Amino acid sequence: MSLPALQTTSVFYRRLVSQFPQDISIAFAYGSGVFKQSGTTQGQMGKNMMDFVFAVDDPVTWHTMNLLQNRKHYSFLKYLGPKQISNIQNDYGAGIYYNTLVPSNGKIIKYGVISTDCLIDDLLHWKTMYVAGRLHKPVKILLQNEDGKLRTALVGNLKSAVTASFLMLPESFSEEDLFVQIAGLSYAGDFRMLIGEDKSKVLNIVKDNLPHFRILYSNILQECPQVVYKPQQGKLEVDKSPEGQFTQLMALPRTLQQRITRLVDPPGKNRDVEEILLQVAQDPDCGSVVQQGISSIVKSSSITQSAKGIITAGLIKTVSYSTKKLWKMWKGWRRKSP
């Protein structure tokens, strides 16, 4: 899972992580401050905020320690104490608590804290796809313990991203087509893509990071019985027969299967999931149904997590962060304008 960093030494990351409580099951860095995106110079990348996620086994203990070490990182919620902060983290939005616009080692960072159990649940079942979606794309793993369940879930999440993308792509497609589809999964239905995100974001993520996507997905594609993968030509052919699509639908994460059944099954009919997915597998619009299912997951989690972010960041930081996002969106629009 570990990928090489771009122009930033591992010493920088070790110094940064050392400033936080060390009971972390996995820590990773992601986003445009870590991986170069198309249309961004190295200088601009150096100014971008760096994004981190820390998964911890015991959020109450971790926030207790972090409030002692890094109290200034928190909004007014620090006055409620670690137990309430952990409740807000676990019970609202996507199960992750962000501290944003934090100065650290000459950079501005944002870091999210999620319980290890909540992360594993999202990776396996796509309950919110909030952190699972970030892990569909290249990230830099900073540290990872020997938790076998977590390792299995990380690989399972990548396999699910491939399977869902196969269902939405034609019979033949390129590596870049696949990686654009995968990178776009966690943005489908995200209201922030309408307000506050650069519309060309998904393509920009993939264009300059094709080697990183290959490292992440090469073994999965070579071992997958549903696809003919030709890495030298960068081409793939997937089984689009009803039987093939049914196999893929049955392998999707549980929450996505449930969303698909709600879309297809009329209220009160109460057919079992297998019967409904068999029907969807034979539908010419199968890919569109899967897309709608994913969008429904992402839409609800992006709205609730963003609403939570206003409280966890505080009003001043929220306004500052939102202004930067809108500025990036405007710059992206300007680049595309004739």
Side-chain angles (χ1 to χ4, degrees):
M1 285 289 296
S2 186
L3 295 171
L6 306 177
Q7 302 298 315
T8 308
T9 67
S10 58
V11 172
F12 169 83
Y13 288 113
R14 286 203 300 271
R15 278 173 56 84
L16 189 143
V17 173
S18 72
Q19 296 168 14
F20 295 94
Q22 292 305 290
D23 181 24
I24 296 173
S25 58
I26 187 170
F28 64 88
Y30 67 95
S32 60
V34 182
F35 293 93
K36 188 177 179 298
Q37 295 183 6
S38 182
T40 305
T41 66
Q42 206 70 43
Q44 288 169 329
M45 181 185 159
K47 294 175 186 173
N48 286 345
M49 183 164 66
M50 302 187 79
D51 299 306
F52 298 87
V53 167
F54 305 144
V56 303
D57 291 342
D58 184 348
V60 176
T61 301
W62 197 91
H63 284 295
T64 300
M65 299 299 294
N66 201 42
L67 282 163
L68 291 171
Q69 292 175 227
N70 301 300
R71 192 170 179 82
K72 288 183 178 177
H73 294 181
Y74 291 81
S75 69
F76 68 93
L77 293 177
K78 59 177 167 276
Y79 298 112
L80 300 180
K83 194 158 190 295
Q84 282 304 315
I85 287 172
S86 298
N87 288 341
I88 291 165
Q89 173 187 309
N90 294 324
D91 297 343
Y92 300 96
I96 186 165
Y97 186 104
Y98 274 103
N99 284 324
T100 190
L101 296 175
V102 174
S104 179
N105 291 343
K107 295 275 190 180
I108 299 297
I109 71 166
K110 175 179 79 173
Y111 64 94
V113 184
I114 186 170
S115 78
T116 306
D117 287 344
C118 184
L119 173 59
I120 290 171
D121 189 50
D122 197 33
L123 292 169
L124 291 176
H125 305 304
W126 287 7
K127 187 177 177 183
T128 68
M129 273 185 73
Y130 200 86
V131 180
R134 277 143 186 77
L135 285 159
H136 292 158
K137 299 172 275 291
V139 302
K140 179 161 181 62
I141 305 287
L142 309 180
L143 62 87
Q144 184 176 351
N145 67 16
E146 295 302 312
D147 187 329
K149 278 176 64 180
L150 178 56
R151 288 180 181 274
T152 301
L154 286 164
V155 175
N157 181 49
L158 297 178
K159 288 180 177 177
S160 294
V162 167
T163 302
S165 296
F166 282 170
L167 286 159
M168 292 183 281
L169 285 163
E171 189 171 0
S172 301
F173 47 90
S174 69
E175 268 184 333
E176 185 170 337
D177 292 335
L178 173 63
F179 298 146
V180 168
Q181 188 72 58
I182 288 171
L185 292 175
S186 61
Y187 296 113
D190 189 337
F191 83 100
R192 293 170 303 172
M193 293 302 286
L194 302 174
I195 303 170
E197 289 287 8
D198 181 354
K199 301 296 188 297
S200 54
K201 180 168 184 157
V202 174
L203 198 55
N204 291 344
I205 289 169
V206 174
K207 269 189 174 177
D208 277 13
N209 291 294
L210 278 169
H212 297 284
F213 275 94
R214 287 190 189 107
I215 291 168
L216 203 54
Y217 287 101
S218 178
N219 287 345
I220 289 169
L221 292 172
Q222 286 173 355
E223 292 170 8
C224 178
Q226 296 286 314
V227 69
V228 177
Y229 178 39
K230 303 170 185 173
Q232 288 79 18
Q233 293 96 354
K235 299 288 185 187
L236 300 97
E237 295 170 13
V238 70
D239 183 358
K240 299 299 284 186
S241 69
E243 295 79 13
Q245 293 198 139
F246 177 64
T247 300
Q248 291 156 22
L249 287 163
M250 288 298 290
L252 291 175
R254 184 178 64 207
T255 305
L256 180 52
Q257 289 181 341
Q258 290 168 347
R259 295 297 178 107
I260 289 169
T261 58
R262 276 186 223 163
L263 285 166
V264 174
D265 203 32
K269 207 163 181 190
N270 295 326
R271 293 182 297 166
D272 65 46
V273 172
E274 192 169 329
E275 184 185 346
I276 295 162
L277 294 182
L278 186 58
Q279 176 190 326
V280 175
Q282 298 171 68
D283 190 332
D285 294 324
C286 173
S288 175
V289 175
V290 173
Q291 176 82 42
Q292 288 175 60
I294 291 170
S295 295
S296 71
I297 296 170
V298 173
K299 183 179 180 181
S300 56
S301 66
S302 70
I303 291 171
T304 54
Q305 183 63 34
S306 293
K308 182 167 96 173
I310 296 170
I311 301 167
T312 59
L315 187 59
I316 294 170
K317 283 188 176 182
T318 298
V319 171
S320 176
Y321 181 68
S322 300
T323 302
K324 287 185 170 104
K325 284 285 188 184
L326 289 165
W327 173 246
K328 278 178 75 175
M329 183 179 77
W330 184 78
K331 283 200 296 184
W333 177 78
R334 281 289 302 272
R335 279 198 301 270
K336 288 193 290 185
S337 296

